[in-house]
Amino acid sequence: MSRSLAACEGSLLVVDASQGVEAQTLANVYHALDAGHEIVPVLNKIDLPAAEPDQVKQQIEDVIGIDASDAVMISAKTGLGIDEVAGSHRAPAAAAEGRPRRLAEGASGR
């Protein structure tokens, strides 16, 4: 996994909006943070009746320590928000100029 992380400059932190942050999520996000990744929080399954996006955002901030106020809200099942996630990938222009690539600002203005 460390080689995979070394090949990337950013990570999507996908958290189930009905279950919140789980142990394996913590382990993986800490590896990504140690690798210097920019983390984009993504809340999945927001279409479920049991989804609690506000509580899960707060949990991400409290447990992991990253700002989740602009987390991308998606439903992989219905396709809601998927375009916004796809738009949160790295900006290729920065790499062409010899600077490290950063995650592109999404439609929400992050």
Side-chain angles (χ1 to χ4, degrees), residues 30-93:
Y30 288 139
H31 285 301
L33 288 168
D34 287 344
H37 285 202
E38 186 170 343
I39 307 294
V40 176
V42 177
L43 300 186
N44 189 25
K45 300 185 182 181
I46 62 166
D47 58 312
L48 295 180
E52 297 180 321
D54 292 332
Q55 290 87 337
V56 173
K57 284 184 192 180
Q58 189 62 52
Q59 184 184 35
I60 290 169
E61 293 181 1
D62 293 344
V63 174
I64 300 172
I66 62 171
D67 181 19
S69 60
D70 288 333
V72 182
M73 310 287 262
I74 70 166
S75 168
K77 181 169 105 178
T78 68
L80 178 69
I82 298 301
D83 290 340
E84 190 174 348
V85 172
S88 68
H89 66 290
R90 287 172 272 260

